[in-house]
Amino acid sequence: MTLTTSRWPQYLALIGLVIVVASVWYTNRLANQLSVIEENYVRFYEASMRDITNFDGSDVAEDVSTQQEIIGNNTTIPAIWALQGGGYQEAINWGGREADTAYILEQLDYLKANGKPPVEMPYGGLMYFGTSTLITKLRLFPYIQLALIGTFVVIGVFGINQARRAEQNRVWVGLAKETAHQLGTPISAIMGWIEHLNLMYAENGEIMEVSTELQKDVERLEMVANRFSKIGATPELDPVNIYTELDKCRAYMEKRAPRRVRFTFPPPDAGNIQVAINPLLFDWVIENLVRNALDAMDGKGEISSQVTEKDGKVIIDISDTGKGISTRNLRRVFDPGFTTKKRGWGLGLSLVKRIVEEYHRGRIVVAHSEVGKGTTFRITLPRAS
């Protein structure tokens, strides 16, 4: 995973935030300008009402048609003509709810407390003005935009993660299948040579001993190839006693570990807790964890295992007394390509996580790690019914 790819979600979120901030600033600016225009209209309305009130028709040269047009052209600003004794005479531009008395009186109380200064009407009463629906919608627009951009960012991040995961899956499956295919040819050849040794030197004890060990290693290679061939397919899960399976893994790895490494695993007859697993793949998980533990201990220390049950789940802890994992690396240990070793591809723990979570419907985490003291990996699997 490259640095640029891993930061795509942050880039999307930052771009979305910039768009929202710019949108809020711009729409607020437009809303303020429209508010000024509406306030000017209210002043014109008030002046027009005053002119019409003072007009008695005696001056033929005087014309109030413009004032009447200003008053009549209000089609956006909600207004209520309140009477002195209570109630109201007229309500306009309330979205079709002008006949809803309770609603209009509620809005009137609000305008009296929070609205613009009222305008005196020529026949008594006061005209209260509210804020037009255009300004209200304009002020709400940034929040709507924020929700839309937030949804876009979430979908974008989800899409990027899904695409990246699908790409990783294709790489994993392709690599595994190709590895299994490549191993098949030399394994077949070695098996042929072993058979040749058995026929030619059947009476030679030393050669037969070598042949027997070669046969064991070939069987091991066949098992490895079989493991790789199962990647990408749906493995069959069988109920297995977890104690027996762990002891089998311990026996294999203990023979190949340095003598100063002590293994403390529960005995195979410690209990009978059945777990639905694919033994071939599950053993791969335990061997990977043990191998990492051996690398972290520099040839001496202790590798232990503990099995517990809780709420229908089987919890398997694999602990070591090695170097431990630093806090900054804890979240990255399962990432493909991440490794602290000088040699290594950083694929082991990523493959372990995939086998446990995707193929066994379980979960694996670093339960505890302390630099210089060791690490505990915790596998949680559903118990077989």
Side-chain angles (χ1 to χ4, degrees), residues 124 275 299:
V275 181

Side-chain angles (χ1 to χ4, degrees), residues 189-200:
I190 295 173
M191 290 177 66
W193 284 109
I194 291 174
E195 187 64 26
H196 177 72
L197 288 174
N198 292 337
L199 292 174
M200 295 294 294

Side-chain angles (χ1 to χ4, degrees), residues 216-233:
K216 291 179 181 179
D217 287 335
V218 167
E219 291 173 358
R220 184 69 186 176
L221 284 173
E222 284 183 317
M223 185 184 69
V224 171
N226 195 10
R227 285 173 174 174
F228 276 108
S229 68
K230 290 183 179 297
I231 299 297

Side-chain angles (χ1 to χ4, degrees), residues 146-257:
L146 175 61
L148 293 175
I149 292 176
T151 304
F152 168 77
V153 170
V154 170
I155 294 175
V157 171
F158 178 78
I160 290 173
N161 288 336
Q162 288 297 105
R164 188 166 58 198
R165 188 172 301 164
E167 183 180 0
Q168 290 175 356
N169 286 337
R170 288 193 296 269
V171 172
W172 274 114
V173 173
L175 179 63
K177 298 293 185 185
E178 181 63 20
T179 301
H181 176 72
Q182 293 294 334
L183 284 173
T185 302
I187 288 174
S188 300
I190 295 173
M191 290 177 66
W193 284 109
I194 291 174
E195 187 64 26
H196 177 72
L197 288 174
N198 292 337
L199 292 174
M200 295 294 294
Y201 303 98
E203 297 180 359
N204 190 317
E206 292 184 3
I207 292 180
M208 284 294 92
E209 184 179 354
V210 172
S211 176
T212 301
E213 293 303 317
L214 282 174
Q215 182 66 40
K216 291 179 181 179
D217 287 335
V218 167
E219 291 173 358
R220 184 69 186 176
L221 284 173
E222 284 183 317
M223 185 184 69
V224 171
N226 195 10
R227 285 173 174 174
F228 276 108
S229 68
K230 290 183 179 297
I231 299 297
T234 302
E236 294 182 2
L237 304 181
D238 300 314
V240 175
N241 185 354
I242 190 61
Y243 290 108
T244 305
E245 202 63 30
L246 285 174
D247 188 69
K248 184 173 70 174
C249 297
R250 175 207 58 78
Y252 175 79
M253 294 301 297
E254 191 171 14
K255 290 181 181 179
R256 289 154 180 80

Side-chain angles (χ1 to χ4, degrees), residues 70 83 119 144 150 156 185 192 218 222 269 277 345 370:
I70 290 174
L83 300 176
V119 174
I144 298 173
T185 302
V218 167
E222 284 183 317
D269 57 355
I277 61 173
W345 293 92
E370 187 174 349

